[in-house]
Amino acid sequence: MKSEKNKSKNVVYPDKISLSVERYLKNGFNFDQDWTDANSGIPNIFNRTSIFSGEKAKNNVSYTGRTILSYINNCSITYNGPAMDKKDHQVFQLCIHAAKENNIFFGETFRIFPAEWLKILKRADNSRSRDELANSLKKMTMANINVVREYGHNEDGAFHEDFSGNILSMFKRVSFKKENDEYVKSRSKTDVKWLIAISPAIKQIVDQDLTLIDIQKSAEIKTCLGLWLYDFYSSHHNPIPISTDRLRLLSGSNSSTIGHFNQALEINLKKLKDIGFISNYSFNQKSRNEKMLVVEKEFLSPIVGKRNQVKERKPETMNLINL
């Protein structure tokens, strides 16, 4: 430690501030709303774009400099990394929720238990599901997002923020243990050790507007498009009519025609109605080639990006990590 004489006046040293507070100021969540045990505060930049696509991601497909269409004002997004879909996004939601609820900070490594996560996601706990879960986490370590937000302009030019970073900074999967000075394959699922760390850079995105997403309810949806619609409409209190073609582009759909997309859209809207997320929907023909989708929600979505605006239900409790 430097002597009092040589200390800079512009530096706060650890002996003058608790390490936990210093760590929080650097990497903690900077909003104070309460989350319920079944909800995650998810950035709308993921809820209203195709960073996590509404189309099932193909293996071994990667993008370089891919422009992402956004339903967020004054925001442009470029993506580099593997193709990701909404099932990957479900895993990200659990990462965020686990970190927030257990006081884990950005960049800090913590252990997760795949059996608990698969149970929450209502997926079978077998080797295939575990490999898929691991693949989602692995892809997020390679996923790089560049976001440029414009905050206004004057005669000197535009005021904008240019941010780039990965989603996860680390994922480690260990499926063996040491017995009698030898490494052996773990026979018990509880012996398997999975470690992750959320990238400190992603704090810049998490600090923006968020929507509370009900993870347990979304786990009832099995299609990527259905999950995308659930997240998209969760991020709107009172959705305005939107053209189905714009939804097709926003969701990242690969449908060859708008007709095929509209068919898939209606199938998934019926599912959202069946689980009680929306109360009604209808299609209005705006022109010969354009339909407008009108959605009525069953309840208002709680937005947590600004202070004192959370409106909550009381969902079930879920266990995300075991420290």
Side-chain angles (χ1 to χ4, degrees):
M1 181 64 64
K2 293 185 178 182
S3 67
E4 291 293 326
K5 182 178 180 180
N6 295 327
K7 281 188 177 182
S8 167
K9 295 180 180 180
N10 299 318
V11 177
V12 179
Y13 289 89
D15 60 342
K16 297 296 183 182
I17 186 171
S18 80
L19 290 176
S20 61
V21 174
E22 181 187 36
R23 180 178 64 171
Y24 181 83
L25 291 174
K26 288 181 179 179
N27 294 325
F29 292 84
N30 71 350
F31 46 87
D32 59 359
Q33 291 81 1
D34 291 330
W35 296 5
T36 62
D37 288 329
N39 286 351
S40 289
I42 303 302
N44 285 335
I45 200 170
F46 295 137
N47 298 324
R48 298 181 181 180
T49 71
S50 62
I51 294 173
F52 293 98
S53 175
E55 188 80 31
K56 183 174 174 58
K58 295 181 179 179
N59 293 329
N60 302 319
V61 173
S62 294
Y63 302 107
T64 301
R66 185 189 188 200
T67 300
I68 302 290
L69 185 63
S70 168
Y71 200 70
I72 300 173
N73 291 333
N74 304 318
C75 178
S76 61
I77 304 168
T78 306
Y79 177 73
N80 296 282
M84 299 189 298
D85 59 37
K86 277 296 175 176
K87 293 195 174 182
D88 300 315
H89 190 217
Q90 286 182 302
V91 178
F92 172 71
Q93 291 173 13
L94 294 181
C95 293
I96 289 291
H97 191 95
K100 171 65 166 59
E101 292 302 297
N102 294 277
N103 297 317
I104 305 298
F105 296 90
F106 294 98
E108 196 170 37
T109 300
F110 61 100
R111 183 178 181 182
I112 66 171
F113 289 83
E116 292 294 333
W117 286 33
L118 291 171
K119 182 179 179 181
I120 294 164
L121 296 173
K122 299 181 181 178
R123 301 180 190 177
D125 189 356
N126 53 39
S127 59
R128 178 178 178 179
S129 294
R130 286 178 173 242
D131 287 345
E132 289 175 349
L133 181 61
N135 190 47
S136 292
L137 294 167
K138 192 183 302 182
K139 285 195 290 185
M140 283 186 273
T141 66
M142 299 181 283
N144 180 270
I145 304 164
N146 176 249
V147 180
V148 179
R149 291 179 180 272
E150 185 175 326
Y151 292 94
H153 60 275
N154 60 18
E155 63 275 7
D156 295 325
F159 300 101
H160 66 270
E161 177 182 73
D162 193 332
F163 158 78
S164 184
N166 286 24
I167 296 177
L168 296 186
S169 56
M170 192 275 285
F171 166 59
K172 182 179 181 180
R173 180 185 188 184
V174 180
S175 57
F176 59 84
K177 60 181 180 178
K178 199 170 186 179
E179 287 183 354
N180 301 322
D181 294 327
E182 292 184 359
Y183 290 109
V184 297
K185 186 173 178 63
S186 298
R187 295 179 178 83
S188 171
K189 291 180 179 178
T190 58
D191 291 333
V192 176
K193 183 179 291 186
W194 291 32
L195 301 172
I196 66 170
I198 302 173
S199 171
I202 208 69
K203 181 178 186 293
Q204 300 298 317
I205 290 178
V206 175
D207 280 351
Q208 303 296 329
D209 286 345
L210 310 177
T211 297
L212 283 179
I213 302 293
D214 189 329
I215 309 172
Q216 292 182 335
K217 185 172 285 294
S218 69
E220 300 176 33
I221 304 167
K222 301 305 178 185
T223 67
C224 291
L225 180 57
L227 289 168
W228 190 90
L229 291 168
Y230 182 87
D231 292 344
F232 180 78
Y233 281 106
S234 288
S235 71
H236 295 81
H237 277 291
N238 297 300
I240 62 173
I242 184 172
S243 74
T244 59
D245 190 48
R246 189 173 187 188
L247 279 178
R248 180 177 67 88
L249 296 173
L250 283 169
S251 68
S253 170
N254 291 330
S255 293
S256 57
T257 66
I258 187 62
H260 289 153
F261 177 75
N262 286 346
Q263 290 175 3
L265 186 60
E266 185 156 15
I267 290 171
N268 285 282
L269 287 168
K270 286 179 180 177
K271 177 63 177 178
L272 296 187
K273 187 175 180 180
D274 289 342
I275 65 173
F277 177 65
I278 63 176
S279 58
N280 201 11
Y281 66 90
S282 60
F283 295 95
N284 297 331
Q285 198 76 37
K286 184 177 180 181
S287 65
R288 181 178 179 182
N289 298 317
E290 185 177 13
K291 284 186 176 182
M292 301 295 291
L293 173 62
V294 180
V295 168
E296 298 174 22
K297 295 180 62 175
E298 193 66 41
F299 51 84
L300 296 181
S301 298
I303 309 295
V304 299
K306 297 180 180 179
R307 294 179 182 272
N308 304 320
Q309 291 188 354
V310 182
K311 299 179 181 179
E312 285 302 326
R313 301 184 308 284
K314 295 182 178 179
E316 304 171 20
T317 299
M318 61 181 180
N319 180 23
L320 287 166
I321 66 175
N322 184 353
L323 297 177

mmCIF file of all heavy atoms in Angstrom, residues 31-57:
data_model
loop_
_atom_site.group_PDB
_atom_site.id
_atom_site.type_symbol
_atom_site.label_atom_id
_atom_site.label_comp_id
_atom_site.label_asym_id
_atom_site.label_seq_id
_atom_site.Cartn_x
_atom_site.Cartn_y
_atom_site.Cartn_z
ATOM 1 N N PHE A 31 -29.966 -0.549 -10.506
ATOM 2 C CA PHE A 31 -31.363 -0.212 -10.270
ATOM 3 C C PHE A 31 -31.817 -0.976 -9.031
ATOM 4 O O PHE A 31 -31.270 -2.007 -8.687
ATOM 5 C CB PHE A 31 -32.245 -0.557 -11.476
ATOM 6 C CG PHE A 31 -31.983 -1.920 -12.039
ATOM 7 C CD1 PHE A 31 -32.627 -3.029 -11.533
ATOM 8 C CD2 PHE A 31 -31.081 -2.091 -13.067
ATOM 9 C CE1 PHE A 31 -32.374 -4.288 -12.041
ATOM 10 C CE2 PHE A 31 -30.820 -3.350 -13.569
ATOM 11 C CZ PHE A 31 -31.459 -4.445 -13.059
ATOM 12 N N ASP A 32 -32.813 -0.449 -8.345
ATOM 13 C CA ASP A 32 -33.126 -0.986 -7.030
ATOM 14 C C ASP A 32 -34.495 -1.648 -6.961
ATOM 15 O O ASP A 32 -35.020 -1.882 -5.886
ATOM 16 C CB ASP A 32 -33.029 0.117 -5.983
ATOM 17 C CG ASP A 32 -33.977 1.286 -6.279
ATOM 18 O OD1 ASP A 32 -34.685 1.242 -7.296
ATOM 19 O OD2 ASP A 32 -33.980 2.231 -5.478
ATOM 20 N N GLN A 33 -35.114 -1.946 -8.085
ATOM 21 C CA GLN A 33 -36.415 -2.594 -8.048
ATOM 22 C C GLN A 33 -36.276 -4.051 -7.621
ATOM 23 O O GLN A 33 -35.268 -4.702 -7.897
ATOM 24 C CB GLN A 33 -37.102 -2.545 -9.419
ATOM 25 C CG GLN A 33 -37.536 -1.151 -9.858
ATOM 26 C CD GLN A 33 -36.403 -0.356 -10.439
ATOM 27 O OE1 GLN A 33 -35.285 -0.853 -10.533
ATOM 28 N NE2 GLN A 33 -36.669 0.872 -10.818
ATOM 29 N N ASP A 34 -37.302 -4.561 -6.958
ATOM 30 C CA ASP A 34 -37.302 -5.961 -6.565
ATOM 31 C C ASP A 34 -37.741 -6.832 -7.735
ATOM 32 O O ASP A 34 -38.642 -6.468 -8.483
ATOM 33 C CB ASP A 34 -38.263 -6.187 -5.396
ATOM 34 C CG ASP A 34 -37.767 -5.534 -4.124
ATOM 35 O OD1 ASP A 34 -36.536 -5.435 -3.973
ATOM 36 O OD2 ASP A 34 -38.608 -5.127 -3.312
ATOM 37 N N TRP A 35 -37.094 -7.975 -7.860
ATOM 38 C CA TRP A 35 -37.521 -8.977 -8.827
ATOM 39 C C TRP A 35 -38.211 -10.079 -8.041
ATOM 40 O O TRP A 35 -37.795 -10.424 -6.942
ATOM 41 C CB TRP A 35 -36.335 -9.597 -9.563
ATOM 42 C CG TRP A 35 -35.560 -8.649 -10.407
ATOM 43 C CD1 TRP A 35 -35.733 -7.300 -10.512
ATOM 44 C CD2 TRP A 35 -34.475 -8.984 -11.274
ATOM 45 N NE1 TRP A 35 -34.820 -6.776 -11.380
ATOM 46 C CE2 TRP A 35 -34.035 -7.783 -11.862
ATOM 47 C CE3 TRP A 35 -33.842 -10.176 -11.596
ATOM 48 C CZ2 TRP A 35 -32.983 -7.752 -12.771
ATOM 49 C CZ3 TRP A 35 -32.794 -10.139 -12.493
ATOM 50 C CH2 TRP A 35 -32.381 -8.949 -13.080
ATOM 51 N N THR A 36 -39.244 -10.664 -8.609
ATOM 52 C CA THR A 36 -39.840 -11.827 -7.980
ATOM 53 C C THR A 36 -38.971 -13.043 -8.265
ATOM 54 O O THR A 36 -38.080 -13.010 -9.108
ATOM 55 C CB THR A 36 -41.255 -12.080 -8.523
ATOM 56 O OG1 THR A 36 -41.166 -12.347 -9.912
ATOM 57 C CG2 THR A 36 -42.142 -10.867 -8.304
ATOM 58 N N ASP A 37 -39.249 -14.137 -7.572
ATOM 59 C CA ASP A 37 -38.391 -15.312 -7.674
ATOM 60 C C ASP A 37 -38.483 -16.007 -9.025
ATOM 61 O O ASP A 37 -37.658 -16.860 -9.330
ATOM 62 C CB ASP A 37 -38.743 -16.319 -6.575
ATOM 63 C CG ASP A 37 -38.290 -15.831 -5.205
ATOM 64 O OD1 ASP A 37 -37.278 -15.112 -5.162
ATOM 65 O OD2 ASP A 37 -38.949 -16.156 -4.216
ATOM 66 N N ALA A 38 -39.478 -15.706 -9.829
ATOM 67 C CA ALA A 38 -39.626 -16.388 -11.114
ATOM 68 C C ALA A 38 -39.392 -15.461 -12.300
ATOM 69 O O ALA A 38 -39.573 -15.865 -13.436
ATOM 70 C CB ALA A 38 -41.015 -17.017 -11.227
ATOM 71 N N ASN A 39 -39.009 -14.213 -12.043
ATOM 72 C CA ASN A 39 -38.841 -13.250 -13.119
ATOM 73 C C ASN A 39 -37.384 -12.829 -13.269
ATOM 74 O O ASN A 39 -36.642 -12.783 -12.304
ATOM 75 C CB ASN A 39 -39.674 -11.992 -12.866
ATOM 76 C CG ASN A 39 -41.144 -12.233 -13.101
ATOM 77 O OD1 ASN A 39 -41.529 -13.284 -13.614
ATOM 78 N ND2 ASN A 39 -41.979 -11.293 -12.711
ATOM 79 N N SER A 40 -37.011 -12.508 -14.502
ATOM 80 C CA SER A 40 -35.686 -11.950 -14.782
ATOM 81 C C SER A 40 -35.852 -10.594 -15.448
ATOM 82 O O SER A 40 -36.696 -10.432 -16.330
ATOM 83 C CB SER A 40 -34.902 -12.869 -15.726
ATOM 84 O OG SER A 40 -34.503 -14.043 -15.085
ATOM 85 N N GLY A 41 -35.038 -9.623 -15.036
ATOM 86 C CA GLY A 41 -35.030 -8.331 -15.706
ATOM 87 C C GLY A 41 -34.151 -8.413 -16.945
ATOM 88 O O GLY A 41 -32.929 -8.459 -16.840
ATOM 89 N N ILE A 42 -34.774 -8.456 -18.113
ATOM 90 C CA ILE A 42 -34.053 -8.703 -19.363
ATOM 91 C C ILE A 42 -34.017 -7.431 -20.211
ATOM 92 O O ILE A 42 -35.055 -6.794 -20.433
ATOM 93 C CB ILE A 42 -34.713 -9.845 -20.154
ATOM 94 C CG1 ILE A 42 -34.773 -11.111 -19.294
ATOM 95 C CG2 ILE A 42 -33.953 -10.107 -21.449
ATOM 96 C CD1 ILE A 42 -33.425 -11.612 -18.796
ATOM 97 N N PRO A 43 -32.839 -7.045 -20.699
ATOM 98 C CA PRO A 43 -32.727 -5.835 -21.526
ATOM 99 C C PRO A 43 -33.617 -5.922 -22.768
ATOM 100 O O PRO A 43 -33.657 -6.950 -23.448
ATOM 101 C CB PRO A 43 -31.240 -5.817 -21.921
ATOM 102 C CG PRO A 43 -30.551 -6.619 -20.866
ATOM 103 C CD PRO A 43 -31.521 -7.688 -20.475
ATOM 104 N N ASN A 44 -34.302 -4.832 -23.062
ATOM 105 C CA ASN A 44 -35.182 -4.817 -24.239
ATOM 106 C C ASN A 44 -34.417 -4.938 -25.545
ATOM 107 O O ASN A 44 -34.994 -5.256 -26.581
ATOM 108 C CB ASN A 44 -36.038 -3.547 -24.227
ATOM 109 C CG ASN A 44 -37.147 -3.635 -23.201
ATOM 110 O OD1 ASN A 44 -37.591 -4.724 -22.835
ATOM 111 N ND2 ASN A 44 -37.595 -2.490 -22.712
ATOM 112 N N ILE A 45 -33.123 -4.693 -25.482
ATOM 113 C CA ILE A 45 -32.319 -4.875 -26.693
ATOM 114 C C ILE A 45 -32.302 -6.344 -27.119
ATOM 115 O O ILE A 45 -32.074 -6.674 -28.278
ATOM 116 C CB ILE A 45 -30.888 -4.353 -26.464
ATOM 117 C CG1 ILE A 45 -30.212 -4.079 -27.799
ATOM 118 C CG2 ILE A 45 -30.070 -5.312 -25.628
ATOM 119 C CD1 ILE A 45 -28.908 -3.341 -27.675
ATOM 120 N N PHE A 46 -32.579 -7.260 -26.171
ATOM 121 C CA PHE A 46 -32.702 -8.678 -26.504
ATOM 122 C C PHE A 46 -34.154 -9.068 -26.746
ATOM 123 O O PHE A 46 -34.432 -10.045 -27.441
ATOM 124 C CB PHE A 46 -32.126 -9.544 -25.383
ATOM 125 C CG PHE A 46 -30.651 -9.382 -25.180
ATOM 126 C CD1 PHE A 46 -30.114 -9.287 -23.907
ATOM 127 C CD2 PHE A 46 -29.780 -9.318 -26.256
ATOM 128 C CE1 PHE A 46 -28.750 -9.145 -23.708
ATOM 129 C CE2 PHE A 46 -28.411 -9.167 -26.078
ATOM 130 C CZ PHE A 46 -27.893 -9.077 -24.796
ATOM 131 N N ASN A 47 -35.092 -8.329 -26.154
ATOM 132 C CA ASN A 47 -36.513 -8.654 -26.304
ATOM 133 C C ASN A 47 -37.096 -8.157 -27.624
ATOM 134 O O ASN A 47 -38.108 -8.683 -28.084
ATOM 135 C CB ASN A 47 -37.319 -8.039 -25.155
ATOM 136 C CG ASN A 47 -36.917 -8.583 -23.808
ATOM 137 O OD1 ASN A 47 -36.584 -9.755 -23.676
ATOM 138 N ND2 ASN A 47 -36.951 -7.734 -22.779
ATOM 139 N N ARG A 48 -36.467 -7.144 -28.225
ATOM 140 C CA ARG A 48 -37.066 -6.504 -29.405
ATOM 141 C C ARG A 48 -36.171 -6.580 -30.640
ATOM 142 O O ARG A 48 -36.301 -5.769 -31.558
ATOM 143 C CB ARG A 48 -37.360 -5.031 -29.089
ATOM 144 C CG ARG A 48 -38.350 -4.831 -27.956
ATOM 145 C CD ARG A 48 -38.613 -3.363 -27.706
ATOM 146 N NE ARG A 48 -39.536 -3.154 -26.605
ATOM 147 C CZ ARG A 48 -39.938 -1.968 -26.173
ATOM 148 N NH1 ARG A 48 -39.486 -0.874 -26.779
ATOM 149 N NH2 ARG A 48 -40.775 -1.862 -25.168
ATOM 150 N N THR A 49 -35.257 -7.533 -30.656
ATOM 151 C CA THR A 49 -34.382 -7.718 -31.814
ATOM 152 C C THR A 49 -34.217 -9.215 -32.064
ATOM 153 O O THR A 49 -34.757 -10.046 -31.334
ATOM 154 C CB THR A 49 -32.985 -7.100 -31.580
ATOM 155 O OG1 THR A 49 -32.279 -7.901 -30.609
ATOM 156 C CG2 THR A 49 -33.073 -5.666 -31.080
ATOM 157 N N SER A 50 -33.432 -9.547 -33.079
ATOM 158 C CA SER A 50 -33.149 -10.954 -33.375
ATOM 159 C C SER A 50 -31.717 -11.336 -33.026
ATOM 160 O O SER A 50 -31.149 -12.233 -33.643
ATOM 161 C CB SER A 50 -33.428 -11.241 -34.855
ATOM 162 O OG SER A 50 -32.588 -10.460 -35.686
ATOM 163 N N ILE A 51 -31.114 -10.640 -32.034
ATOM 164 C CA ILE A 51 -29.824 -11.114 -31.536
ATOM 165 C C ILE A 51 -29.988 -12.568 -31.114
ATOM 166 O O ILE A 51 -29.172 -13.430 -31.435
ATOM 167 C CB ILE A 51 -29.326 -10.238 -30.363
ATOM 168 C CG1 ILE A 51 -29.009 -8.827 -30.844
ATOM 169 C CG2 ILE A 51 -28.092 -10.878 -29.717
ATOM 170 C CD1 ILE A 51 -28.681 -7.853 -29.736
ATOM 171 N N PHE A 52 -31.077 -12.821 -30.375
ATOM 172 C CA PHE A 52 -31.549 -14.179 -30.133
ATOM 173 C C PHE A 52 -32.766 -14.365 -31.033
ATOM 174 O O PHE A 52 -33.842 -13.825 -30.764
ATOM 175 C CB PHE A 52 -31.929 -14.380 -28.665
ATOM 176 C CG PHE A 52 -30.752 -14.318 -27.716
ATOM 177 C CD1 PHE A 52 -30.471 -13.145 -27.036
ATOM 178 C CD2 PHE A 52 -29.953 -15.430 -27.507
ATOM 179 C CE1 PHE A 52 -29.394 -13.085 -26.149
ATOM 180 C CE2 PHE A 52 -28.872 -15.378 -26.632
ATOM 181 C CZ PHE A 52 -28.593 -14.205 -25.950
ATOM 182 N N SER A 53 -32.608 -15.122 -32.091
ATOM 183 C CA SER A 53 -33.580 -15.155 -33.177
ATOM 184 C C SER A 53 -34.833 -15.974 -32.854
ATOM 185 O O SER A 53 -34.806 -16.891 -32.044
ATOM 186 C CB SER A 53 -32.904 -15.737 -34.432
ATOM 187 O OG SER A 53 -33.831 -15.888 -35.477
ATOM 188 N N GLY A 54 -35.911 -15.600 -33.543
ATOM 189 C CA GLY A 54 -37.143 -16.377 -33.480
ATOM 190 C C GLY A 54 -37.131 -17.546 -34.440
ATOM 191 O O GLY A 54 -38.129 -18.261 -34.575
ATOM 192 N N GLU A 55 -36.018 -17.760 -35.102
ATOM 193 C CA GLU A 55 -35.817 -18.901 -36.008
ATOM 194 C C GLU A 55 -34.780 -19.823 -35.366
ATOM 195 O O GLU A 55 -33.769 -19.353 -34.839
ATOM 196 C CB GLU A 55 -35.305 -18.416 -37.360
ATOM 197 C CG GLU A 55 -35.230 -19.479 -38.430
ATOM 198 C CD GLU A 55 -36.574 -19.777 -39.070
ATOM 199 O OE1 GLU A 55 -37.420 -18.852 -39.149
ATOM 200 O OE2 GLU A 55 -36.776 -20.928 -39.494
ATOM 201 N N LYS A 56 -35.028 -21.118 -35.373
ATOM 202 C CA LYS A 56 -34.091 -22.059 -34.762
ATOM 203 C C LYS A 56 -32.710 -21.900 -35.393
ATOM 204 O O LYS A 56 -32.548 -21.960 -36.610
ATOM 205 C CB LYS A 56 -34.582 -23.496 -34.932
ATOM 206 C CG LYS A 56 -33.682 -24.536 -34.253
ATOM 207 C CD LYS A 56 -34.274 -25.929 -34.326
ATOM 208 C CE LYS A 56 -33.319 -26.965 -33.776
ATOM 209 N NZ LYS A 56 -32.934 -26.695 -32.370
ATOM 210 N N ALA A 57 -31.698 -21.692 -34.544
ATOM 211 C CA ALA A 57 -30.336 -21.467 -35.031
ATOM 212 C C ALA A 57 -29.721 -22.754 -35.562
ATOM 213 O O ALA A 57 -29.884 -23.815 -34.963
ATOM 214 C CB ALA A 57 -29.477 -20.896 -33.908
#
